[in-house]
Amino acid sequence: MFRIGCHISSSGGYLAMGRRIDALGGNTFAFFTRNPRGGAAKDVDPADVAAFLDFCREKDIDRLVAHAPYTLNPCAEKENVRQFALTAFADDLKRMEYTPGQYYNFHPGSHVGQGMEIGIAKIAQVLDQVLFPEMTTTVLLETMSGKGSEVGGRFEQLRAIIDRTALNEKLGVCLDTCHVWDAGYDVVGDLDGVLTEFDRVVGLDRLKAVHLNNTKNDLGAAKDRHEKLPDGKLPLDAIRRIVTHPALEKLPFILETPNDEAGYAAEIALVRSLHG
Ligand code: FE
Ligand code: FE
Ligand code: ZN
């Protein structure tokens, strides 16, 4: 089953998200677990979740790729920022269990001058505090562009976080096509080479989802600015090779392109036509 969807607003609850992604022609989706700027999350309504899960079964919608707030920085130097990361992360993972067996994606963080080594160690420490043996959710580290002091611009950094986390059977990776390109991985000219490198460093069995984005920047710009699929530096032919690649084809593809709902519906249809 080919799975394509986009980021959906969570303001109306779970069933509303299911209905919306279905209306846009998608069969997988992403959403923010709470206001992306931080703050408290709404309580989960079990009746809403039950209706949503029924709807997903009926419509064959699968893979929620929940997204942690952008402000969550597990390797922050400031203690209050790190404390928010711990509290929000733990609370989100508890609420994810209402929808068992799904994905929770987060940006590893920015070490803000402490250095990559300390950043990696702090991220693994937070994971050690929030992962628990009974959880059914897989936590995904997102590949980053390497902008500023971001951790996760190199596959080796993701590997190091995984290696230092005790309960790392709960960890996977989400590959963002805009971010890896901006980080210098040439998914246009050498997709096979990039995936071979990913397999060597991290292992393709860890790869669980793809953020399918185009980019405004040149290869290696380390900038992270998403673009609409037809408009960016990645030609549609490269997008086609990504969504049909045997190592990726079975993964959920999530659009995070700058679009309104009509734009997302059009891009979902475009990706379906590229996939064939
Ligand atoms: Fe992200
Ligand atoms: Fe992303
Ligand atoms: Zn991005």
Side-chain angles (χ1 to χ4, degrees):
M1 173 61 67
F2 181 61
R3 299 218 170 261
I4 175 71
C6 63
H7 198 97
I8 293 281
S9 163
S10 59
S11 59
Y14 281 90
L15 182 57
M17 290 195 285
R19 290 212 167 110
R20 192 161 296 142
I21 193 58
D22 183 55
L24 298 180
N27 56 3
T28 179
F29 65 96
F31 64 102
F32 283 123
T33 50
R34 61 185 67 220
N35 184 317
R37 301 229 142 269
K42 273 192 297 191
D43 281 340
V44 175
D45 170 5
D48 178 39
V49 174
F52 165 74
L53 292 175
D54 278 348
F55 185 84
C56 289
R57 232 165 286 141
E58 185 192 320
K59 300 287 186 177
D60 190 22
I61 295 167
D62 187 35
R63 293 300 115 171
L64 280 66
V65 190
H67 201 301
Y70 288 136
T71 45
L72 190 143
N73 185 6
C75 59
E77 188 166 29
K78 287 191 184 142
E79 201 39 55
N80 61 325
V81 179
R82 233 177 138 236
Q83 197 51 50
F84 168 73
L86 257 178
T87 313
F89 213 136
D91 182 55
D92 281 356
L93 290 185
K94 208 186 298 159
R95 283 178 309 110
M96 284 298 295
E97 292 299 313
Y98 282 94
T99 53
Q102 305 300 323
Y103 297 147
Y104 178 82
N105 173 80
F106 78 108
H107 296 178
S110 292
H111 65 68
V112 282
Q114 301 167 94
M116 195 55 75
E117 269 307 298
I118 288 176
I120 288 167
K122 284 189 168 179
I123 294 160
Q125 272 172 30
V126 166
L127 288 168
D128 277 340
Q129 290 180 76
V130 298
L131 302 180
F132 54 102
E134 303 79 16
M135 66 190 277
T136 63
T137 304
T138 301
V139 172
L140 307 185
L141 303 156
E142 182 165 347
T143 61
M144 302 309 292
S145 68
K147 165 175 54 109
S149 66
E150 264 176 2
V151 181
R154 303 293 312 166
F155 297 156
E156 286 80 0
Q157 294 158 7
L158 301 178
R159 174 81 250 170
I161 296 166
I162 292 168
D163 282 343
R164 286 183 208 190
T165 302
L167 214 54
N168 64 18
E169 76 256 30
K170 306 294 185 189
L171 294 179
V173 172
C174 173
L175 185 132
D176 186 309
T177 55
C178 162
H179 296 175
V180 290
W181 167 266
D182 281 21
Y185 292 102
D186 185 3
V187 291
V188 174
D190 188 18
L191 179 61
D192 277 331
V194 171
L195 292 173
T196 301
E197 176 71 358
F198 185 94
D199 193 35
R200 184 183 70 78
V201 176
V202 178
L204 278 171
D205 54 326
R206 294 270 184 192
L207 188 55
K208 303 297 184 191
V210 177
H211 284 171
L212 187 64
N213 299 312
N214 214 321
T215 167
K216 291 185 193 291
N217 302 298
D218 290 324
L219 178 67
K223 275 194 181 143
D224 185 4
R225 288 182 65 211
H226 301 195
E227 182 54 284
K228 294 184 170 75
L229 282 194
D231 296 345
K233 298 284 179 173
L234 316 182
L236 281 182
D237 202 48
I239 305 280
R240 185 186 54 74
R241 287 194 297 274
I242 289 168
V243 298
T244 56
H245 195 285
L248 305 177
E249 197 187 17
K250 301 260 183 329
L251 304 177
F253 289 93
I254 305 289
L255 299 166
E256 299 174 307
T257 46
N259 273 305
D260 57 14
E261 290 205 341
Y264 274 138
E267 285 197 1
I268 288 170
L270 170 66
V271 172
R272 287 194 187 282
S273 76
L274 292 171
H275 181 264

